[in-house]
Amino acid sequence: MVSYNAGIVCALLALCMVVPSLATVYTVGDTNGWVTNYDYTTWTSGKTFVVGDSLVFNYASGHTVDEVSSSDYSTCTVGNSLSSDSSGATTIPLKTAGTRYFICGIVGHCGSGMKVAVTVAKASTTTPAAGTPSTNTSTTPSTTTPATTTTTPTSTNLSSGTILSPIVAVLAMTWFAFSLLVLS
């Protein structure tokens, strides 16, 4: 009986470690990557970005990923970036709700299409019914803070519309595991 309970506790703890991976990792431009002469507005259409998701920019040398203000995005102004990376594989964690603006900081590249605006919705703590599309009902953009860029060679394009709070999941699983141990 103790062995059975220990197995259940281990399975529940493993499940708790999987919960944070429900966030979606979007590869900007899909297989095309971060390149000139690509329509990133079309790429973002139909996608719902939520807090907890990440953007992965894959690109060749000679390009950058610069996060910029709305006005610098609209005018393709380089040199005023909030953050910049030129590693070739840039991951941007979407930590706050609001609109984020990214351009290539090489002169002329933004004007050639290397710009993307992403509207990030607040993460939901509940899961919608199966087959129910998630929608962004927020009409008021919130102030965003510059993100820290990190580099990663991994990119996945999973579909998941919601994120279950890891804290809630851990608390629920701990309570369940404790109940099993006490009752046995």
Side-chain angles (χ1 to χ4, degrees):
M1 186 68 162
V2 173
S3 164
Y4 174 76
N5 288 337
I8 289 176
V9 170
C10 288
L12 292 175
L13 290 175
L15 180 62
C16 288
M17 288 187 271
V18 172
V19 170
S21 69
L22 295 177
T24 303
V25 176
Y26 292 96
T27 301
V28 177
D30 296 323
T31 57
N32 293 303
W34 185 233
V35 295
T36 57
N37 301 313
Y38 186 81
D39 184 2
Y40 291 100
T41 302
T42 299
W43 178 80
T44 59
S45 68
K47 290 178 175 60
T48 302
F49 303 95
V50 296
V51 171
D53 289 347
S54 296
L55 300 176
V56 175
F57 292 81
N58 293 316
Y59 50 98
S61 62
H63 296 297
T64 66
V65 175
D66 292 7
E67 183 166 6
V68 296
S69 67
S70 173
S71 60
D72 286 349
Y73 174 84
S74 298
T75 59
C76 284
T77 301
V78 298
N80 300 323
S81 63
L82 304 171
S83 66
S84 182
D85 188 53
S86 59
S87 66
T90 305
T91 298
I92 306 289
L94 302 176
K95 296 180 180 180
T96 58
T99 303
R100 308 275 298 273
Y101 302 94
F102 303 95
I103 65 171
C104 179
I106 305 302
V107 175
H109 289 197
C110 176
S112 296
M114 283 187 85
K115 61 190 277 185
V116 63
V118 175
T119 301
V120 182
K122 291 180 183 177
S124 172
T125 56
T126 59
T127 305
T132 305
S134 58
T135 58
N136 180 5
T137 57
S138 174
T139 57
T140 307
S142 59
T143 305
T144 60
T145 57
T148 304
T149 57
T150 55
T151 304
T152 180
T154 309
S155 65
T156 356
N157 231 347
L158 305 173
S159 289
S160 173
T162 60
I163 299 171
L164 179 63
S165 169
I167 294 171
V168 172
V170 168
L171 289 175
M173 295 301 176
T174 303
W175 177 81
F176 182 72
F178 182 74
S179 297
L180 282 177
L181 291 174
V182 168
L183 294 176
S184 59

